[in-house]
Amino acid sequence: MSIHIEAKENEIAETVLLPGDPLRAKYIAETFLEDAKLYNKVRNMFGYTGTYKGKRVSVQGTGMGVPSISIYINELMQSYNVQNLIRVGTCGAIQKDVKVRDVILAMTASTDSTINRTIFNGTIDYAPTADFELLKNAYDLGTEKGLAIKAGNVFTADLFYSENPQFEKFAKFNILAIEMETAALYTLAAKFGRKALSVLTVSDHIITGEETTAEERQTTFNDMIEIALEAAIK
Ligand SMILES: O=P(O)(O)O[C@H]1O[C@H](CO)[C@@H](O)[C@H]1O
Ligand SMILES: O=c1cc[nH]c(=O)[nH]1
């Protein structure tokens, strides 16, 4: 047991999917996993372990933002020895050619979070990076499925409601979309020698205001989740 996760030793798989929303964790467990068992309900941040195509997989809600995901992934890696961490999240697009429902693989994550400056005592700007094997598996699988899948730089924002949005500048510098956790996931996975990837579904377009309906979101989430699960077990 760790401070925020009440699972016993060995109740969490080596591979964990990480949605921000704990109800998405429940949906994934009920829809995609066989024999899924709830191992965590501390703070209603649900975590389940089951099997996908015969392989043991867990899914753990992380909450929103760097501080919250940092708590869960630190405990998953240090107390439960999790090796493969795959975020399945939503993001807001800022590029003209990135559309709602597209799936984005984060190769790296720029950020205004202070996590990396704090870790490196403000001496460098660390570049958090996806695990190449997971990234390649996910890209190949998404392409084979005929999905609009893009790989590139995302921005991990500290604030959902930014005081100083620089979206046009970010778009010019080839950032594809905005979300709130990936920089922490990649940095902390590297710190502990683990593999990480963020697979993101575009839920809204920040510049055009376009949004997905609840039904469309669910279908695209299913594509994203399948890509994440297949990439994890390949
Ligand atoms: O859908 P999730 O995984 O929560 O991801 C995105 O949605 C939340 C903001 O609404 C932030 O956590 C952001 O990263
Ligand atoms: O962090 C996020 C997630 C989805 N859409 C946004 O605009 N921001």
Side-chain angles (χ1 to χ4, degrees), residues 29-183:
E30 288 172 353
T31 313
F32 291 90
L33 302 186
E34 282 174 27
D35 300 323
K37 296 206 173 46
L38 181 69
Y39 64 73
N40 190 57
K41 46 186 171 32
V42 175
R43 292 178 179 248
N44 284 334
M45 200 58 80
F46 304 130
Y48 298 81
T49 299
T51 58
Y52 179 75
K53 298 190 175 173
K55 303 239 169 88
R56 217 163 157 251
V57 176
S58 296
V59 53
Q60 171 67 56
T62 66
M64 292 182 274
V66 165
S68 187
I69 193 172
S70 298
I71 288 172
Y72 291 99
I73 61 178
N74 262 299
E75 293 183 16
L76 288 171
M77 290 187 286
Q78 294 192 81
S79 301
Y80 297 97
N81 200 26
V82 168
Q83 300 295 319
N84 306 307
L85 301 102
I86 307 181
R87 168 162 154 71
V88 282
T90 61
C91 62
I94 53 170
Q95 299 272 356
K96 283 202 197 82
D97 66 344
V98 178
K99 311 287 185 206
V100 293
R101 294 179 294 278
D102 282 359
V103 175
I104 293 181
L105 305 175
M107 292 167 66
T108 184
S110 306
T111 188
D112 58 1
S113 159
T114 55
I115 179 172
N116 293 320
R117 292 189 186 182
T118 304
I119 289 173
F120 292 98
N121 299 316
T123 54
I124 63 162
D125 287 324
Y126 179 74
T129 309
D131 175 75
F132 181 72
E133 196 183 351
L134 285 177
L135 180 82
K136 184 172 185 310
N137 287 350
Y139 187 80
D140 292 347
L141 289 158
T143 310
E144 277 163 27
K145 264 165 109 32
L147 297 177
I149 190 158
K150 295 186 168 59
N153 194 352
V154 302
F155 186 81
T156 298
D158 237 2
L159 298 176
F160 185 87
Y161 298 106
S162 175
E163 291 293 329
N164 179 27
Q166 301 187 68
F167 300 134
E168 282 180 18
K169 194 168 192 178
F170 290 169
K172 186 169 186 300
F173 280 73
N174 221 14
I175 288 172
L176 302 179
I178 315 294
E179 56 86 71
M180 300 179 67
E181 293 83 14
T182 297

Side-chain angles (χ1 to χ4, degrees), residues 195-211:
K195 296 181 175 181
L197 177 67
S198 274
V199 187
L200 306 166
T201 298
V202 178
S203 57
D204 54 280
H205 201 296
I206 292 172
I207 310 298
T208 65
E210 194 189 355
E211 287 177 339

